């Protein structure tokens, strides 16, 4: 495989130590060693700005949103709706009202499966996915297809771990009604050319959902430029709180869809005979929202924008190159994923000859380094790669070359233990 080289010019301007100082958890030690957190694809750490924003709500303004006519409720409602506007603006959504606040990307994609697909797909229709999908953008479609007698078919990857465009085009020729596609693979870090794929899918007449759970935290995303119909992501992977996330959808689609959950807040008028639903976005936000988490996510968006998504992406890219170079020095180690940098996010899945990923991750942990071992909610992808599991290091804005060195040293040590 070709070795990748990138310019390291931005290192001088990206002050990673300053970023790190904002994340209190990075000061802790584990087993007496400095914490090296490289499990960012699973969840990310939180800066003071996010923790403080949530703390402020609980200490100063907390009151249920939308319902109160008193000051504190109005303040909290304003913070919540302000967070929505920030989140919508981050992905260049044309209309904040078409940005539904959800608990996570899984919920967002299930809304599309339950509310859009049940209305619009029928027996015999084709749904297209990819082998790269996280289970949360695969199982809903696979199971939904079974329930209604539709077909679910997936696009494979090539030898360079990228989607097979020939296969995608062949599936589009069968006129699928729906395409569910990840922006970035959480298993092997492939970045899909979602704008091109969406344009092709739309030209074939399909409605397109993009899973942006591994993209929005790490790069500039513009849903209008992508041209998709739905875009989903989680807040906790982008330095925001757990219990936060968003589904953006085209207004006309969301308006035509029935609610996902029924109850309070999603109604305009209820009689014993019938219910008139609320307008967007509240039609899809039944019950008390996790408004504190959403406000925390708004603070996360401010923080990410202050650093700059392009700068974060470049920082991660440089670290990924460095990590791959360091992994290449190791004997008996195989990394998965393309070496074509423009198609590669900061996720390095690897296997070490003779050591099960779980044993490896446990030994690595003893060195203070957090990585994930398992199938990463990508079982069909693991089957495709012909491995039961991988060990995965995933990089974010606060990681450093020294932390990559710590990971490599920990892998070497594990190899010695097993030798
Ligand atoms: N999609 C991708 C690509 C992911 O990596 C994940 C989580 O790892 C999800 C969806 C699901 O995210 P959540 O568990 O926050 O719903």
């Amino acid at each position: 495989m070709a070795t990748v080289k990138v310019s390291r010019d931005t290192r001088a301007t990206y002050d990673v130590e300053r970023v790190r100082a904002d994340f209190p958890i990075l000061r802790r030690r584990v087993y007496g060693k400095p914490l090296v957190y490289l499990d960012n694809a699973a969840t990310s750490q939180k800066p003071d700005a996010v923790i403080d924003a949530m703390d402020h709500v609980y200490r100063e303004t907390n009151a249920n949103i939308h319902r109160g006519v008193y000051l504190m409720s109005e303040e909290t409602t304003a913070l919540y709706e302000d967070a929505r506007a920030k989140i919508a603006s981050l992905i260049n959504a044309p209309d904040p009202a078409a940005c539904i606040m959800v608990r996570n990307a899984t919920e967002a994609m299930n809304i599309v499966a339950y509310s859009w697909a049940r209305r619009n797909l029928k027996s015999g229709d084709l749904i297209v996915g990819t082998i790269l999908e996280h289970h949360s953008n695969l199982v809903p479609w696979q199971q939904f297809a079974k329930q209604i007698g539709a077909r679910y078919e997936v696009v494979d990857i090539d030898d360079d771990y990228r989607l097979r465009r020939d296969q995608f085009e062949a599936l589009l020729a069968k006129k699928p009604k729906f395409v569910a596609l990840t922006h970035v693979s959480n298993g092997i870090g492939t970045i899909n050319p979602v704008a091109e794929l969406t344009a092709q899918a739309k030209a074939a007449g399909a409605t397109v959902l993009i899973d942006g759970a591994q993209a929005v935290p790490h790069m500039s995303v513009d849903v209008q430029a992508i041209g998709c119909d739905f875009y989903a992501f989680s807040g906790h992977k982008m330095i925001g709180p757990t219990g936060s996330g968003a589904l953006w959808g085209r207004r006309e689609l969301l308006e035509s869809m029935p609610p996902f959950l029924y109850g309070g807040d999603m109604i305009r008028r209820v009689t014993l005979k019938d219910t008139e639903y609320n307008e967007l976005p509240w039609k899809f936000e039944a019950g008390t929202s996790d408004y504190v988490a959403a406000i925390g996510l708004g603070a996360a968006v401010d923080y990410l924008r202050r650093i700059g998504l392009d700068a974060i992406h470049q920082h991660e890219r440089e670290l990924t190159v460095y990590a791959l170079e360091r992994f290449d020095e190791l004997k008996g180690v195989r990394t998965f994923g393309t070496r074509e940098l423009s198609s590669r996010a900061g996720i390095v899945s690897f296997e070490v000859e003779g050591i099960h990923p779980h044993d490896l991750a446990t030994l690595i942990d003893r060195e203070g380094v957090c990585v994930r071992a398992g199938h990463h909610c990508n079982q069909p992808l693991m089957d495709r790669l012909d491995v039961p599991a991988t060990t995965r290091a995933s990089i974010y804005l606060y990681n450093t070359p020294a932390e990559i060195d710590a990971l490599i040293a920990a892998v070497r040590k594990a190899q010695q233990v097993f030798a």
Side-chain angles (χ1 to χ4, degrees), residues 94-112:
D95 177 7
C99 205
I100 315 298
M101 308 296 263
V102 295
R103 286 182 306 134
N104 50 43
T106 303
E107 182 174 289
M109 292 181 293
N110 274 278
I111 290 177
V112 182

Side-chain angles (χ1 to χ4, degrees), residues 224-290:
Q224 296 188 65
I226 294 170
C228 56
D229 299 294
F230 297 103
Y231 196 96
F233 55 101
S234 290
H236 68 96
K237 295 181 196 287
M238 51 186 286
I239 71 170
T242 47
S244 67
L247 170 70
W248 171 80
R250 283 188 195 281
R251 178 178 260 281
E252 62 277 17
L253 295 184
L254 292 172
E255 273 174 349
S256 71
M257 287 157 52
F260 174 51
L261 296 174
Y262 295 86
D265 248 24
M266 50 72 65
I267 54 93
R268 177 175 287 142
R269 169 98 181 109
V270 181
T271 65
L272 285 179
K273 287 223 162 59
D274 208 356
T275 294
E276 192 187 325
Y277 304 136
N278 208 338
E279 61 197 36
L280 291 176
W282 307 295
K283 181 172 92 173
F284 289 101
E285 295 180 2
T288 299
S289 304
D290 195 342

Side-chain angles (χ1 to χ4, degrees), residues 156-166 338 384:
D156 196 8
I157 44 173
D158 60 21
D159 291 344
D160 193 33
Y161 305 94
R162 288 187 280 175
L163 284 184
R164 278 189 51 188
R165 297 291 289 268
D166 59 326
T338 179
R384 168 66 179 81

Side-chain angles (χ1 to χ4, degrees), residues 41 104-106 109 134 136 182 184 186 211 213-214 234 236-237:
N104 50 43
T106 303
M109 292 181 293
H134 185 278
S136 64
T182 194
V184 175
N186 64 298
D211 171 2
Q214 297 294 346
S234 290
H236 68 96
K237 295 181 196 287

